[in-house]
Amino acid sequence: MWLWVHVEDNRKLIKKSCSDEAPRPVRSKNSQRETQRKQTMTSFLEEVTPFVYIIHDRSEWLDPYRKALSELGVPFKELDLRAPHWFYLSTAPPPGLYFNRSSPSSHTRGNRYAMELASAVIDWLESHNCTVINGSASMKLEMSKIAQEIAMTSNEIPVAHSSFYSSQEALLDSLKNNPERFSFANGFCLKHNRGGSGSGVRLFDSVDQAIRYVESDEWEAPIDGITLVQERILSPQNCMYRLEFVDGILIYVIMIDTSTVSTGSVINNCPADSCTLKERARQRKLEMDKSKNASNNGSTPVACPLKFQDSSKFKISLGFKHPIVERISAYVASKQMGTAGVEIIVDENEDAFVIDFNATNTNYNRAAEKRANIPMRGATAVAKMLRRYWLKSPFNDTRTPS
């Protein structure tokens, strides 16, 4: 079976297996056809140099990693999921270390099947015993907020409780005929089961507000058809916290100012600082439109504070402590996660609840890191992790990690 793949500018298939096992034999129903195919691929079967391969769907987010990896002398290549691709499934992948940074919001940028493709690639890599940072287990969490809540609950980590609906019609029927299902003290928000970058996230104080949004042209259909209704956790300090983990270790906690979030608004707390001028202009227009047409019917988005407003909305919280941190840290370490960004809110009773879990595509706010003058910044921590795994891998058995 064939699946097209393009790895940056180097289109070469590798003979050498990612593990010490012998390459799997190629099954052939028609040996003559297989021979012809192999002859046309001779140039793809010669490269044996190992690299760190970064699987991604947005080049702009990689700048900090490119810089950090280059400074550490780690050879890397990019597998951009937006490009044409092919894989020969019976041939072992190139020797190297694979770092998955696929984004669950890729479909909002025109990359409808990037996550599905990433999952297929990772299945192929893992079937050949390749080392994949943020592999299939992380992908399962990244692609489903339902899976996230189940995982947290089963590990006794408090969450903002949710229900989910199979369609727009099912949600609307429940809002109209079973309003008691939405009786939360501080309101609720709608979320896409597979989200990211605030896609489909809206906050409401009442059922009537939600009904007007769901029936309006502003309704955002979830990519997998599933919408979550999540209890709103109110923070007395108007903030939330994001715990950043690299290689199972908490590197820092970032505080996000949520004071600008209002009823009916889109909520996007992405910390990435690699936004284009076009995106900033779009967010500026949304903010201007909001100020002119403020309403509480869920139809007016709020601009991402990083992309338009003052980046001081994001601050490293050096002294943050809470019992939930230990529980989350134990979970992330037990699952051997490469990168994770876990978002929590602390209520008036000092109880903390997980509201989101980012398992593959973690971005860092460099402005906040610089202001805090922290010893280990996100992209640097990731690059050092990749260097450690790259040096320890079988294809680098003559090297000694430093």
Side-chain angles (χ1 to χ4, degrees):
M1 181 180 290
W2 298 82
L3 178 66
W4 289 99
V5 63
H6 165 64
V7 181
E8 205 52 31
D9 292 327
N10 185 19
R11 303 188 180 194
K12 296 184 178 181
L13 259 177
I14 316 297
K15 281 184 179 180
K16 187 176 179 180
S17 174
C18 287
S19 69
D20 291 329
E21 296 179 358
R24 298 186 179 188
V26 176
R27 292 184 301 171
S28 174
K29 294 182 179 179
N30 188 319
S31 58
Q32 183 178 0
R33 181 178 298 176
E34 283 295 327
T35 300
Q36 292 173 346
R37 284 180 174 176
K38 287 183 178 180
Q39 288 173 346
T40 63
M41 293 179 61
T42 301
S43 61
F44 298 105
L45 297 170
E46 297 173 350
E47 179 63 62
V48 294
T49 304
F51 292 91
V52 170
Y53 290 90
I54 305 175
I55 303 169
H56 71 95
D57 55 69
R58 191 174 190 185
S59 180
E60 296 90 332
W61 283 344
L62 295 189
D63 287 344
Y65 302 97
R66 295 185 184 108
K67 183 175 184 293
L69 287 168
S70 296
E71 289 176 348
L72 292 174
V74 179
F76 66 92
K77 288 191 175 184
E78 300 171 22
L79 199 165
D80 191 334
L81 298 171
R82 298 169 298 179
H85 294 282
W86 69 265
F87 297 91
Y88 190 29
L89 297 182
S90 297
T91 299
L97 175 68
Y98 292 83
F99 177 41
N100 172 32
R101 275 189 49 80
S102 56
S103 168
S105 63
S106 54
H107 61 279
T108 67
R109 296 183 294 276
N111 309 318
R112 167 60 186 87
Y113 297 107
M115 289 295 281
E116 286 80 3
L117 176 57
S119 293
V121 171
I122 290 168
D123 286 344
W124 173 61
L125 294 171
E126 292 182 344
S127 74
H128 287 277
N129 299 312
C130 294
T131 299
V132 182
I133 307 297
N134 300 336
S136 55
S138 292
M139 284 293 284
K140 180 179 179 180
L141 288 178
E142 192 68 86
M143 294 182 72
S144 172
K145 297 188 186 301
I146 294 172
Q148 294 170 19
E149 181 165 333
I150 292 172
M152 296 297 96
T153 302
S154 63
N155 285 272
E156 300 183 343
I157 299 172
V159 296
H161 295 296
S162 305
S163 57
F164 66 93
Y165 293 85
S166 60
S167 65
Q168 179 183 11
E169 293 75 17
L171 174 60
L172 191 59
D173 178 76
S174 188
L175 285 165
K176 289 182 175 181
N177 299 314
N178 301 98
E180 69 280 358
R181 296 175 180 172
F182 306 86
S183 298
F184 299 106
N186 298 305
F188 58 93
C189 64
L190 301 185
K191 288 186 172 184
H192 289 178
N193 180 49
R194 182 173 131 193
S197 296
S199 58
V201 183
R202 301 269 179 153
L203 178 66
F204 300 100
D205 287 330
S206 71
V207 168
D208 288 341
Q209 292 170 0
I211 290 174
R212 288 196 294 272
Y213 164 65
V214 177
E215 290 184 323
S216 74
D217 292 337
E218 296 294 325
W219 163 257
E220 296 180 63
I223 198 65
D224 63 359
I226 301 173
T227 298
L228 277 72
V229 176
Q230 187 178 79
E231 171 189 13
R232 181 188 185 186
I233 307 298
L234 207 57
S235 163
Q237 290 77 34
N238 290 316
C239 70
M240 58 185 287
Y241 298 92
R242 179 168 165 133
L243 284 57
E244 298 290 2
F245 295 88
V246 175
D247 203 15
I249 299 173
L250 179 67
I251 58 171
Y252 62 71
V253 177
I254 189 164
M255 182 180 72
I256 305 172
D257 182 356
T258 59
S259 60
T260 59
V261 173
S262 60
T263 299
S265 69
V266 168
I267 304 173
N268 185 354
N269 291 310
C270 170
D273 56 4
S274 54
C275 305
T276 63
L277 291 175
K278 180 179 179 181
E279 176 63 17
R280 287 174 180 165
R282 186 180 75 86
Q283 294 291 350
R284 182 178 290 107
K285 183 178 184 302
L286 290 174
E287 184 68 12
M288 292 174 65
D289 289 345
K290 176 180 179 292
S291 64
K292 294 178 182 179
N293 306 297
S295 65
N296 62 356
N297 63 2
S299 63
T300 307
V302 169
C304 168
L306 174 66
K307 295 179 178 179
F308 172 51
Q309 300 178 18
D310 187 352
S311 61
S312 63
K313 291 276 185 180
F314 296 80
K315 297 179 180 179
I316 305 296
S317 181
L318 298 175
F320 180 79
K321 294 181 180 179
H322 193 282
I324 199 173
V325 175
E326 185 177 348
R327 293 187 186 182
I328 296 172
S329 297
Y331 173 77
V332 172
S334 70
K335 299 301 180 182
Q336 297 181 318
M337 291 184 170
T339 61
V342 186
E343 297 172 5
I344 66 173
I345 295 180
V346 181
D347 69 9
E348 61 182 357
N349 298 316
E350 295 296 320
D351 294 324
F353 303 86
V354 172
I355 62 166
D356 198 17
F357 198 112
N358 302 275
T360 62
N361 189 46
T362 296
N363 291 301
Y364 307 100
N365 188 280
R366 286 180 289 179
E369 292 177 335
K370 183 177 180 180
R371 284 194 301 271
N373 194 28
I374 55 177
M376 182 62 73
R377 300 185 181 186
T380 302
V382 171
K384 288 187 174 182
M385 170 189 67
L386 295 176
R387 182 174 181 268
R388 286 195 301 272
Y389 281 100
W390 181 69
L391 289 172
K392 291 190 297 184
S393 296
F395 47 77
N396 280 318
D397 55 6
T398 61
R399 301 170 183 258
T400 302
S402 60

